[in-house]
Amino acid sequence: MRRAARLLILPLCLVVLLVAAATVPLPVFVERPGDVVSLVDHVAVAPASPEEAGEVDGDFLLTLVNLRRATVVSLVQAWADADLSVVRATALTGGVDDEVFFERQRELFALTAEVASALGLQAAGLPVEFGAPRGVLVAEVFPGAPAEGVLRPGDIITAVDDTTVPSAGELVTAVRESRDPTLAISFLRDEQERQASIERGSVPGLDQPGLGVHIQELVPPVDLPVPVSVDSGEIGGPSAGLMIALTVYDKISRDDLAAGRRVAGTGGVTVDGAVTPIGGIALKVLAAHRNDVDLFVAPQSQVDQARGAVPDGSTMEVLGAETVQDAIDTLLDRPVSAGGWVPTTVAA
């Protein structure tokens, strides 16, 4: 009987271990290239007059990254698949509960969409006035960056070396121009004032020393001259800003910005129209390639990293933009023939 019991226990233990390996979450996330979302279908702009353009010839695509808590099984898959990456949970969420983190990311998407919509309308010549920025929100901390373990998503940076930084531009300037490599950062976390010292350093994918955070300005609601609605679904984060701005511009302007092309891209935006870097850009480039994208628009500071992620043999061209207006001008300048888009570079 004892022998029979042992023979029964062994398979049961194996089943328990296999179930645990497939279901028990680990303190890391697995990132993988996601799908693309047509912003033409998810962004609605009411034309200022009946003769205003409202149709887009082509498409603007938002590239997504799928993010899930790792299990032993998915972690092994990630190690075996070069297209997957592993990120420590604390580096991504800052230690907050997953549900709270993802809810904050959805709130950040809504804030970004409002600013991006205003920028698109403004670029098309409509009068838009932004209120004064109320602070600089930490939207994301890049893994391996100097700010990792110090700042976390949801923090609001208020000063650098005793210099107040109410806007993203002022924060970037303060970080770049400080004479001391170690910066004194003042910030709010859960409405409590805090201070920390962060030494500027290299940031993966960027061409200059910094903190390694993606930032978003906190601005009062913008009174848009025409109604714009963005259906976000469950999408979160600030990286849709550039593509929303371009979609709004094409829908309200008489310019043919997409010009029959499938245009994907990524990048946050500030109220002055600057395009800011984001995380996971290599995965987003791969998602675009897999969905037959013609052009991919990236933040100028990450354009080399984005181009390096294009698979060999792909005809997808990667463009860089420092501002929303840069992206508009570049897309309008790209050659388009009667037979469709003409690529100017081909990855080999």
Side-chain angles (χ1 to χ4, degrees), residues 135-148:
V136 182
L137 177 72
V138 176
E140 180 181 9
V141 179
F142 296 173
E148 183 182 355

Side-chain angles (χ1 to χ4, degrees), residues 39-51:
L39 287 174
V40 171
D41 296 334
H42 287 76
V43 176
V45 183
S49 61
E51 61 273 12

Side-chain angles (χ1 to χ4, degrees), residues 53-125:
E55 298 295 326
V56 174
D57 178 20
D59 210 346
F60 292 100
L61 303 164
L62 179 61
T63 50
L64 304 180
V65 171
N66 289 338
L67 187 68
R68 291 187 179 180
R69 276 278 182 172
T71 63
V72 171
V73 171
S74 64
L75 194 59
V76 172
Q77 292 174 338
W79 284 333
D81 190 338
D83 294 339
L84 307 184
S85 63
V86 178
V87 181
R88 292 190 304 276
T90 52
L92 187 69
T93 68
V96 302
D97 181 78
D98 288 1
E99 186 175 341
V100 172
F101 169 74
F102 286 115
E103 178 59 31
R104 285 178 177 174
Q105 292 300 298
R106 287 188 286 270
E107 293 172 355
L108 186 55
F109 181 97
L111 173 63
T112 301
E114 186 172 42
V115 173
S117 298
L119 291 171
L121 296 176
Q122 190 177 59

Side-chain angles (χ1 to χ4, degrees), residues 197-291:
S197 296
I198 302 177
E199 185 174 353
R200 282 180 305 188
S202 61
V203 178
L206 301 185
D207 56 7
Q208 58 194 8
L211 301 178
V213 294
H214 184 114
I215 54 178
Q216 176 72 49
E217 288 173 339
L218 296 175
V219 297
V222 181
D223 186 15
L224 301 179
V226 298
V228 178
S229 63
V230 181
D231 178 17
S232 65
E234 291 298 308
I235 302 173
S239 60
L242 173 60
M243 298 311 295
I244 292 174
L246 296 179
T247 305
V248 170
Y249 177 88
D250 201 333
K251 287 201 167 192
I252 200 67
S253 168
R254 294 180 180 177
D255 289 333
D256 187 6
L257 194 59
R261 302 168 293 195
R262 287 170 61 79
V263 182
T266 187
V269 290
T270 65
V271 294
D272 59 358
V275 178
T276 58
I278 51 83
I281 193 165
L283 297 178
K284 294 179 179 181
V285 168
L286 189 55
H289 162 72
R290 291 176 175 175
N291 285 273

